[in-house]
Amino acid sequence: MGRQGEMTEINLVPMEDSSSGHSSIEHPSRTEQRSSSANHNTINHNRQSYSYSYSQSRPPAPGHYHYSRQSYVDDTPGASPPGTPMTGGGGAHPYGSLQPPRHPSYATGNGVDTRSSSPFPQSQTPFRSQDTLRPLFPDTSSTFFNKDWVKDGSIAQLHSRDDAEFWHGWKRNLFYFAPMLVALSLALYWIYFGLRIAFIISAQNQKRATFPLAWIFVAVEVSVAIPIFMQNFWTMFALKKRRRPKLRLIGNDVPTVDVFVTCCGEDDDLVLDTVRASCDQDWPQDKFRVIVLDDGKSATLERAVRDLADTYPNLYYKSRPKFPGVPHHFKAGNLNYGLDEVHTMPGGAGQFMAALDADMIPEQHWLRAVTPHLLLDPKMALACPPQLFYNTPPGDPLCQSLDFFVHVCEPIKDALGVAWCTGSGYVVRRDALDEIGNFPLGSLAEDVATSTLMLGKGWKTAFVHEPLQFGTVPEDFGSHLKQRTRWAIGTVDTSLKLNFCLWGDKIKRMSFAQKSSSFLYAFLSLFNILLTVSMFALPVVLIAGKPLVAYANFEQLRWLIRACFAAYVANRATEFVLFIPSGYHTGQRGSRYQLWMSPYIALCLIRAFVLPKWLGGQAQAFKPTGSLQSALNERDAAKRAPMWRRMWTIIVNYMAWFHVGYVYFCLVAVAMSSYRCFTNLTTKDILICLITHAFWPPLTFIIVCSSFWIPITYAVDPPTVPDREQLLVRDPKTNVAHPTKESKKIAFKGQSAWFEFELTFTTLYTTAAFVASFFY
């Protein structure tokens, strides 16, 4: 953090470059020292100049950056159309027709508003953004922030890392060993498979016969392992450290922003909580608008928003017309409608656009935290914070939180320059949207498509790893399935249209790392089809009475057990370290989720992209998760449906019969295989038969069966989640609500302990087999 009171300021002033005609950045020399008295102590502020870049080897100390208001003006072709407002003094306010809010706190005793007619005059308006900075300088006087440091148009660095709030200390140091553990795990795994293949060949030569099932089983294992290896190899880029600091935009000299709140059929109360928090942003009110884009055209929501506009005059309601037979392109069409509409509103379009899902409540400093990353780099098109949730049930049995993705995957993608737009909470530069023709149509994943197209045009994207928005996860099993399958279809559809980001004019300016990452995520979605098919290999081989491994002699069997142990233990160590940012139990839930969810995603992808309609194929359909009402009310202890109805709905209507069938098929195969082993004469033969058939370490069938049983355990014992209002802290005067501190965390539940017991048991079993290989 640096010593208290030290800071650095950079003036970003555009200078004309005679060689290229483009703007360059001038960094002024050191300015004089200043001092400020605080509690009879003198604090010196050394202002030094240096070139700031995220790619430099060492980030600057916590500091203070200044951007010029002129840096927003772009006279080049393709810039914002005439009428697009620019910040600067001497002219009309960008949203000049707006008046300050009529809020009770501004009124005197006789009810008369005594403020100046000029919105947010600097001499009278306090800097609300100081509140996030004061903990860094607790001993300073009350005038320190007002006069001696904070200046209009300044960017303050609060920390050298934006994710310092999530994890630090020994956890961060240990996480840097993840790439080395991944490399070790991959090496040992391929050694294990190499021995499997070599020993099958040796056994065939000895027996003078072929073992087709052994080859099929190995082929299936290798085909399933390859995508996992690709993903693990990609995580090795965690060594490439992110250099994204925690920034705040200070003062009232800020760019103009249009904040879109998109909704379509969600509960009014849910939408209004997001709207109020959006209007309550720490941002000059004459510099931003909140526009509710209601694709459901709710009359009650329209009335509520218009009533709320009496308090927040920068709040608007819009609902686009829809005509029969004319495609409306889902959320992308709704956003594009908003982008067109703002040009017809007073003051024209803002310089930046921000978007929030209907249920995502932003923190008060959301815009102050995200926008600086765009201001410091003129090629930064989009910056997005993680999607976090406040109603995740205890134990998160369906793995509905995105913690592993936002805390592990997205930071690595950001380090590689390929951060995805995650759909809510992002701030985007209008010039970048104009260049790609606004949000791409015809996709269920307009957020991924948008950020990919921007990267293809040479723009940059950023992931701001701060807790800046909190939303709600789907409240029932069916809504969860619809949400995740829609994401998978949208990702694959976008990738197909962009040739999996391997070639084409739309992605020609993407780097190799960006193309590789985009290809990998699309491929991993398709991988669910292969994973679903591969899981039948184990029970089929056991039913056929064949061993899972082939070998020519006992020495080869010993080495197979030892190699299996080494690969498994290395993988467990890798998981423990790799899951640190998101939490160990969250990572394990994600691994199990990939198993039990794969049949749903596989079926959806096959029906959407493979099967014709006459064979059960179906066009891509969209249903907003928030508009789906739970018929079971399974998370409400007072209203939930009885168990028999929950079981019937999830097993029959939501096709969990597949999971039940697979588990019983697998257990029957294990029982039949084990029964055959006990027909042997000696104890040694029985043990060898068991260990080479159903009980080959690390007892894969136990993990797979327990994972596949999750939908059934959910139906029998669903989690209880309090009413949403109990998870919020609401201001009695403004009615603005934010999630409680406790609701932002995932509570622990006994199911996680049971899963850990299974993993511990399989690890101990594998260790016992390894030790026994030296004695038998």
Side-chain angles (χ1 to χ4, degrees):
M1 291 291 291
R3 293 189 300 272
Q4 179 176 313
E6 278 193 356
M7 57 192 165
T8 310
E9 179 181 294
I10 295 180
N11 294 322
L12 304 183
V13 184
M15 299 294 293
E16 197 66 19
D17 188 341
S18 59
S19 62
S20 63
H22 297 290
S23 294
S24 59
I25 302 300
E26 180 189 39
H27 303 280
S29 61
R30 179 181 307 202
T31 58
E32 70 277 7
Q33 297 181 352
R34 297 193 305 174
S35 63
S36 175
S37 174
N39 298 332
H40 306 290
N41 295 323
T42 301
I43 301 177
N44 294 325
H45 310 287
N46 299 321
R47 298 191 171 188
Q48 301 174 355
S49 66
Y50 48 81
S51 177
Y52 182 78
S53 172
Y54 291 129
S55 61
Q56 64 187 32
S57 60
R58 182 180 179 184
H64 178 219
Y65 313 100
H66 182 81
Y67 65 88
S68 169
R69 287 176 288 182
Q70 299 176 359
S71 62
Y72 296 124
V73 181
D74 188 357
D75 297 324
T76 58
S80 298
T84 301
M86 300 295 174
T87 55
H93 284 288
Y95 304 90
S97 63
L98 301 182
Q99 296 298 320
R102 296 182 291 276
H103 194 279
S105 62
Y106 289 111
T108 60
N110 56 8
V112 179
D113 191 342
T114 58
R115 293 174 298 161
S116 167
S117 60
S118 176
F120 292 91
Q122 181 181 351
S123 60
Q124 299 178 14
T125 305
F127 293 113
R128 294 167 60 190
S129 50
Q130 298 169 18
D131 297 338
T132 61
L133 301 179
R134 189 165 297 283
L136 301 176
F137 302 89
D139 298 328
T140 54
S141 64
S142 59
T143 61
F144 176 70
F145 290 95
N146 295 331
K147 298 180 180 179
D148 297 327
W149 190 25
V150 176
K151 291 186 178 296
D152 276 350
S154 295
I155 298 175
Q157 178 178 322
L158 305 189
H159 199 280
S160 60
R161 300 194 64 96
D162 58 354
D163 56 3
E165 185 173 345
F166 286 111
W167 57 302
H168 54 275
W170 67 270
K171 291 184 177 180
R172 181 180 295 280
N173 296 330
L174 186 59
F175 181 73
Y176 290 137
F177 286 95
M180 290 168 277
L181 288 172
V182 167
L184 176 63
S185 178
L186 293 179
L188 291 174
Y189 214 70
W190 281 115
I191 290 174
Y192 168 63
F193 274 118
L195 290 177
R196 289 274 299 275
I197 295 171
F199 293 164
I200 290 175
I201 296 174
S202 177
Q204 289 183 152
N205 292 337
Q206 185 186 67
K207 302 291 184 181
R208 297 185 182 275
T210 58
F211 299 151
L213 285 179
W215 284 113
I216 292 175
F217 189 60
V218 169
V220 169
E221 282 187 297
V222 171
S223 62
V224 171
I226 287 177
I228 299 175
F229 291 155
M230 292 171 59
Q231 186 176 19
N232 286 344
F233 178 78
W234 177 77
T235 59
M236 294 176 65
F237 286 99
L239 272 179
K240 183 179 175 61
K241 299 179 181 179
R242 293 174 68 245
R243 298 295 185 185
R244 203 168 297 287
K246 185 175 184 178
L247 303 176
R248 288 292 183 273
L249 183 60
I250 308 301
N252 293 330
D253 189 4
V254 297
T256 55
V257 183
D258 290 315
V259 178
F260 293 162
V261 178
T262 56
C263 55
C264 185
E266 292 84 356
D267 291 340
D268 289 355
D269 291 341
L270 187 76
V271 179
L272 291 174
D273 280 341
T274 300
V275 171
R276 292 189 194 95
S278 302
C279 294
D280 192 49
Q281 282 297 296
D282 179 6
W283 201 263
Q285 197 174 60
D286 61 330
K287 297 294 182 67
F288 83 111
R289 285 182 294 224
V290 177
I291 305 169
V292 179
L293 298 177
D294 181 15
D295 234 13
K297 203 171 181 63
S298 167
T300 57
L301 179 61
E302 180 179 4
R303 287 194 299 270
V305 171
R306 297 197 187 283
D307 290 342
L308 195 59
D310 291 337
T311 302
Y312 304 102
N314 60 337
L315 172 62
Y316 298 84
Y317 175 91
K318 298 286 183 180
S319 182
R320 59 175 171 157
K322 294 181 181 179
F323 304 99
V326 179
H328 54 84
H329 299 294
F330 315 126
K331 185 178 177 180
N334 195 18
L335 289 169
N336 286 340
Y337 168 76
L339 290 174
D340 292 337
E341 279 294 296
V342 292
H343 288 290
T344 67
M345 298 174 68
Q351 296 161 261
F352 293 93
M353 187 218 93
L356 289 164
D357 283 349
D359 62 332
M360 278 288 171
I361 298 177
E363 297 291 275
Q364 198 175 49
H365 54 280
W366 163 51
L367 291 177
R368 296 274 184 186
V370 177
T371 309
H373 297 274
L374 296 163
L375 299 178
L376 284 179
D377 188 345
K379 293 300 293 180
M380 188 66 70
L382 179 146
C384 187
Q387 285 198 34
L388 304 172
F389 306 96
Y390 63 89
N391 73 328
T392 308
D396 193 12
L398 303 183
C399 194
Q400 293 180 277
S401 77
L402 301 175
D403 284 5
F404 184 79
F405 178 76
V406 301
H407 295 316
V408 178
C409 299
E410 270 292 296
I412 297 176
K413 288 165 63 69
D414 189 33
L416 297 176
V418 64
W420 270 356
C421 172
T422 53
S424 176
Y426 58 88
V427 180
V428 60
R429 194 182 298 272
R430 284 299 301 258
D431 291 348
L433 279 174
D434 292 341
E435 186 169 352
I436 66 170
N438 292 342
F439 291 93
L441 302 177
S443 173
L444 296 181
E446 83 293 331
D447 44 8
V448 175
T450 298
S451 50
T452 303
L453 289 176
M454 287 177 173
L455 293 172
K457 291 291 185 180
W459 291 93
K460 300 177 184 178
T461 57
F463 176 68
V464 182
H465 201 177
E466 291 191 55
L468 299 174
Q469 60 174 345
F470 291 87
T472 58
V473 300
E475 296 181 349
D476 65 286
F477 189 80
S479 298
H480 171 70
L481 296 184
K482 289 181 172 66
Q483 181 194 64
R484 296 306 172 94
T485 52
R486 171 167 50 87
W487 289 355
I489 291 175
T491 301
V492 173
D493 180 57
T494 299
S495 299
L496 288 173
K497 292 177 180 177
L498 297 176
N499 302 317
F500 284 91
C501 295
L502 296 178
W503 74 88
D505 293 337
K506 294 182 178 179
I507 51 93
K508 62 182 179 180
R509 297 186 65 180
M510 291 177 66
S511 66
F512 175 77
Q514 291 171 337
K515 291 180 180 179
S516 300
S517 177
S518 299
F519 167 79
L520 175 62
Y521 269 89
F523 185 76
L524 287 177
S525 294
L526 293 173
F527 162 68
N528 286 279
I529 300 176
L530 183 60
L531 179 60
T532 303
V533 174
S534 69
M535 285 186 292
F536 284 92
L538 184 146
V540 167
V541 171
L542 293 180
I543 290 253
K546 302 299 181 180
L548 297 179
V549 294
Y551 56 94
N553 51 61
F554 290 134
E555 188 62 24
Q556 289 184 359
L557 177 60
R558 292 188 183 98
W559 279 106
L560 281 176
I561 293 174
R562 295 166 189 171
C564 179
F565 166 79
Y568 181 70
V569 171
N571 183 66
R572 289 280 285 142
T574 302
E575 288 179 344
F576 178 80
V577 174
L578 193 61
F579 296 163
I580 282 178
S582 63
Y584 172 76
H585 292 295
T586 298
Q588 292 294 352
R589 282 193 296 269
S591 299
R592 292 175 181 271
Y593 163 84
Q594 189 174 25
L595 289 174
W596 72 262
M597 191 68 188
S598 60
Y600 291 111
I601 296 178
L603 178 62
C604 244
L605 293 178
I606 291 173
R607 295 179 69 179
F609 299 106
V610 178
L611 295 179
K613 289 186 178 180
W614 60 273
L615 276 180
Q618 61 178 185
Q620 299 177 18
F622 177 79
K623 185 70 173 177
T625 303
S627 65
L628 295 167
Q629 301 299 321
S630 172
L632 301 177
N633 294 310
E634 63 256 32
R635 298 185 185 179
D636 189 327
K639 299 180 181 179
R640 66 170 55 117
M643 183 186 297
W644 67 267
R645 184 180 167 191
R646 300 197 304 265
M647 293 284 290
W648 177 267
T649 302
I650 289 178
I651 292 177
V652 178
N653 295 358
Y654 295 133
M655 297 172 49
W657 55 262
F658 179 90
H659 297 73
V660 176
Y662 175 82
V663 169
Y664 279 99
F665 177 48
C666 197
L667 293 179
V668 168
V670 170
M672 291 178 60
S673 175
S674 301
Y675 174 78
R676 294 191 190 103
C677 290
F678 281 99
T679 60
N680 291 298
L681 298 178
T682 66
T683 302
K684 182 177 181 180
D685 290 338
I686 293 174
L687 293 177
I688 291 176
C689 180
L690 289 173
I691 200 171
T692 56
H693 287 73
F695 294 90
W696 180 253
L699 301 178
T700 305
F701 78 91
I702 292 180
I703 303 300
V704 174
C705 288
S706 67
S707 299
F708 258 60
W709 204 247
I710 286 176
I712 312 304
T713 59
Y714 178 85
V716 173
D717 183 26
T720 298
V721 178
D723 182 75
R724 194 177 67 87
E725 190 65 26
Q726 300 179 34
L727 303 174
L728 300 172
V729 176
R730 191 175 299 277
D731 189 317
K733 294 182 179 179
T734 64
N735 214 23
V736 175
H738 288 278
T740 64
K741 184 177 180 180
E742 294 75 18
S743 67
K744 296 177 181 179
K745 302 176 182 179
I746 301 176
F748 184 82
K749 196 176 181 183
Q751 188 182 50
S752 298
W754 171 251
F755 288 156
E756 186 56 32
F757 170 77
E758 290 179 352
L759 288 171
T760 303
F761 175 76
T762 56
T763 302
L764 293 176
Y765 174 82
T766 306
T767 305
F770 169 73
V771 173
S773 69
F774 291 95
F775 297 97
Y776 294 97

